């Protein structure tokens, strides 16, 4: 990929994805059909409820969170796949009773699982499938409006200020748009660009074409 210390606006990885791939809820996107297309275990799972009543399909939770936060469900699917492989990766093929699946769902989007900190120090308030999705969705909107941990994102894009990456040490990237800056702040790594581009091409090819 060349010299990451000199990566600037205009690079393919400075604009990972267009903003439309993250923002704006699409009521016509069928999350359940998408999960079934990849034979994901999430297509069969339900969450919540009491004594078997009132439980919601994983697909419905994804759609509801996307609608509530005005983001694309495809963005949430990418988040689930990037962090835990729950849509088309290894975790998507685990048995519903496998303890590994439980852990993957607990930290489904990696929200609150701080980079460089032991799991004992991760934020337990964000544990659980629905909370993890809400965290990822709220991160996108915070980046868009300049709030919370993502308050600096609009200024980073407007002034073309580089983001320092944790991996590789000393590398930096100058994001070209809000969605790309948000993803680099979320995961400050060299792999963020390539990983997200590949996953968006898989789960939302029409949005990144």
């Amino acid at each position: 990929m060349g010299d990451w210390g000199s990566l600037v606006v205009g690079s393919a990885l400075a604009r990972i994805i267009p903003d439309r791939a993250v923002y704006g809820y699409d009521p016509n996107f069928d999350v359940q059909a998408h999960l079934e297309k990849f034979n994901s275990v999430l297509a069969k799972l339900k969450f919540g409820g009491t004594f078997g009543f009132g439980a919601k399909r994983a697909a419905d939770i994804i759609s509801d969170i996307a609608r509530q936060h005005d983001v694309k469900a495809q963005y949430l699917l990418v988040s689930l796949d990037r962090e835990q492989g729950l849509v088309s990766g290894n975790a998507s093929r685990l048995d519903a009773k496998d303890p590994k699946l439980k852990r993957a769902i607990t930290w489904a989007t990696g929200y609150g699982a701080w980079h460089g900190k032991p799991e004992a120090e991760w934020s337990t308030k964000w544990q659980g499938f629905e909370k993890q999705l809400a965290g990822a969705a709220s991160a996108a909107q915070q980046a868009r409006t300049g709030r919370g941990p993502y308050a600096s994102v609009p200024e980073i894009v407007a002034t073309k200020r580089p983001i320092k990456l944790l991996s590789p040490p000393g590398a930096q990237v100058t994001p070209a748009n809000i969605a790309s800056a948000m993803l680099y702040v979320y995961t400050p790594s060299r792999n963020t660009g390539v990983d997200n581009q590949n996953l968006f091409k898989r789960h939302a090819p029409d949005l990144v074409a």
Side-chain angles (χ1 to χ4, degrees), residues 7 13-14 17 38 44-45 69 110 139 143 170 175 199 202:
L7 187 60
L13 295 183
I17 52 170
F38 288 95
K44 308 175 184 70
L45 293 184
H69 293 269
L199 286 171
R202 182 181 304 169

Side-chain angles (χ1 to χ4, degrees), residues 41-42 45 47 80 83-86 91-92 94-114 117-122 126-129 132:
V41 66
L42 292 180
L45 293 184
F47 298 88
L80 292 168
E83 298 296 331
Q84 300 292 351
L86 281 165
S92 71
L94 292 174
D95 183 84
K97 296 181 180 180
D98 193 318
K100 293 179 182 178
L101 179 61
K102 180 179 180 180
R103 185 181 184 280
I105 287 171
T106 298
W107 299 106
T109 68
Y111 194 81
W114 314 121
K117 290 188 177 182
E119 187 170 345
E121 296 181 22
W122 292 355
W126 293 105
Q127 285 182 329
F129 189 68
Q132 282 285 294

Side-chain angles (χ1 to χ4, degrees), residues 30-42:
D30 190 334
V31 177
Q32 181 65 25
H34 192 82
L35 293 175
E36 291 175 356
K37 172 184 175 182
F38 288 95
N39 197 28
S40 168
V41 66
L42 292 180

Side-chain angles (χ1 to χ4, degrees), residues 144-167:
R144 191 182 201 181
T145 57
R147 294 179 291 113
Y150 299 85
S152 63
V153 167
E155 185 266 339
I156 286 172
V157 175
T159 63
K160 300 180 182 179
R161 175 161 62 87
I163 292 176
K164 294 181 179 179
L165 304 179
L166 297 179
S167 175

